[in-house]
Amino acid sequence: KQLNPDSVVNGVNYVGVVVTDLDKSTDFYAAADLQRVEDKSFSDHPAFNALAGRDGVNVKTRMLRSANAQIRLMQFEEPGSSAPAVPVQGPGIAHLCFQVAQSTNTYQKILANGAGAIGAHELVQLNPRNPVYYGYVEDLDGAVIEIEHVDVDQLNLPEPPINQYRIRHVALASPDVERLAKFYSAFLDQPDPRRIGGSNGFGGERIDAVSGLEGSKIKMAWFQIRNLELEISQYVSHPTQLPATPRSIEASGYNVIVLDVENLEKAQSKFEAAGGRIVTPPEAMDGGEIVFGRDPDGNLIGLQSASEASVVSAKNFSGNGT
């Protein structure tokens, strides 16, 4: 599903993830064919200071790129937060999904690189008519990763997929999928997202085997932000509550989703009109300008205007995430 032509968002620049060692994490994510693109450090940057709630924040970053999207590893010097990564059921930015050809053996490679299985140790086929096999693991710092192995030969496609590896989606886990989906429907101009789960959610033993949560029942919605999908889930079987204060940018695991926008002022207005909250003024970053906001669940969202020449830009990726 393509973006509405009137959308203020052009795509996803990157997903941020806090790690304790850039080099070890780079080696870890090589199993998913993520390529190192650029290293960059920020010292006492106003936006990072504001989001961390303290002065003198120092962070080293490294951009890793897949065929359709990228992640930015962030290693903070003496971080002010020791909060663990968000668990499967959230709340927060809960996981990143890599969809790969089964022949790549990505799941086996990522386990060999130090990942820990969350549910069943073997991948799970949720639907016998769909040749896709699922598993959740934790990275070296506890961030949840979903691996989807696709048996391409069973798809009977006229031509094989262009890419054997891609980042399929970034996932938010929410206490209220309806509220969060309403916000993103308005902000992204996508009034009719793909939905499953009804009012009570769906589940079963195979879902439990993936999530590692007994008696899982989930409601879900999806939005395509051109090059990367946004998944929103609510574990009605395992309810969560939003924290009293928003999650720090320095906390372990996924910390921000940065969106590519043409008109920063228009994007801010749209974000606030949909029910979000802008929390930093415009600041120079990565050869462009960025503001940060919080969605109704407090998830940190960056709105960034950057040139096509910038490493961060979603314009590096054509198509809608295929």
Side-chain angles (χ1 to χ4, degrees):
K1 185 175 181 178
Q2 297 283 355
L3 280 176
N4 184 313
D6 298 324
S7 176
V8 297
V9 178
N10 296 324
V12 179
N13 283 350
Y14 61 86
V15 177
V17 56
V18 176
V19 301
T20 54
D21 189 306
L22 290 179
D23 292 333
K24 288 182 179 179
S25 291
T26 300
D27 291 342
F28 174 85
Y29 281 101
D33 200 43
L34 290 186
Q35 305 298 317
R36 180 174 173 177
V37 178
E38 181 188 67
D39 286 19
K40 198 166 192 176
S41 295
F42 298 89
S43 181
D44 208 27
H45 190 283
F48 284 110
N49 288 350
L51 295 170
R54 62 188 182 91
D55 293 332
V57 172
N58 294 314
V59 57
K60 296 186 294 184
T61 77
R62 178 170 295 164
M63 197 73 75
L64 302 181
R65 182 174 292 174
S66 186
N68 67 299
Q70 52 198 4
I71 67 174
R72 188 175 212 164
L73 306 180
M74 300 186 183
Q75 182 180 341
F76 286 88
E77 181 182 302
E78 299 180 356
S81 172
S82 59
V86 171
V88 169
Q89 69 272 29
I93 306 174
H95 73 256
L96 199 66
C97 174
F98 294 95
Q99 187 177 71
V100 301
Q102 188 178 55
S103 59
T104 65
N105 293 316
T106 297
Y107 181 70
Q108 291 80 7
K109 291 176 181 176
I110 210 164
L111 287 177
N113 279 3
I118 291 175
H121 196 272
E122 300 298 325
L123 293 175
V124 179
Q125 186 179 18
L126 296 180
N127 183 341
R129 294 173 294 179
N130 189 15
V132 182
Y133 302 81
Y134 302 82
Y136 279 178
V137 301
E138 290 181 338
D139 77 358
L140 302 179
D141 295 286
V144 179
I145 299 169
E146 179 181 4
I147 304 293
E148 294 182 4
H149 272 194
V150 182
D151 187 347
V152 177
D153 292 338
Q154 296 299 314
L155 293 177
N156 297 317
L157 299 173
E159 295 182 2
I162 297 173
N163 300 301
Q164 288 192 305
Y165 300 84
R166 68 171 179 147
I167 302 175
R168 181 175 181 182
H169 62 246
V170 59
L172 305 178
S174 175
D176 190 340
V177 69
E178 305 299 334
R179 180 184 62 179
L180 207 54
K182 182 179 179 180
F183 166 79
Y184 283 102
S185 289
F187 177 54
L188 299 173
D189 285 301
Q190 294 186 35
D192 188 27
R194 181 163 60 98
R195 302 287 296 265
I196 61 171
S199 58
N200 297 318
F202 71 99
E205 291 183 357
R206 295 184 182 186
I207 299 295
D208 293 358
V210 175
S211 70
L213 300 172
E214 186 175 354
S216 299
K217 287 195 175 296
I218 318 169
K219 298 192 291 185
M220 308 181 81
W222 290 269
F223 297 86
Q224 187 70 43
I225 313 182
R226 198 175 67 80
N227 61 309
L228 188 63
E229 191 175 51
L230 177 70
E231 175 184 281
I232 304 175
S233 63
Q234 178 184 352
Y235 281 80
V236 294
S237 56
H238 295 74
T240 60
Q241 291 186 339
L242 297 178
T245 58
R247 186 174 176 82
S248 171
I249 193 172
E250 299 178 282
S252 292
Y254 307 107
N255 63 346
V256 66
I257 302 170
V258 177
L259 305 178
D260 185 302
V261 303
E262 291 289 345
N263 186 311
L264 201 55
E265 184 176 351
K266 186 177 179 181
Q268 290 181 73
S269 297
K270 189 81 171 178
F271 190 85
E272 292 178 308
R277 180 170 57 94
I278 299 298
V279 297
T280 68
E283 300 284 357
M285 186 180 287
D286 300 314
E289 200 171 32
I290 192 168
V291 300
F292 290 93
R294 299 277 183 181
D295 72 12
D297 274 11
N299 298 308
L300 189 62
I301 305 296
L303 307 176
Q304 186 171 38
S305 176
S307 73
E308 291 188 28
S310 174
V311 166
V312 303
S313 177
K315 301 178 185 70
N316 287 298
F317 308 102
S318 61
N320 63 336
T322 55

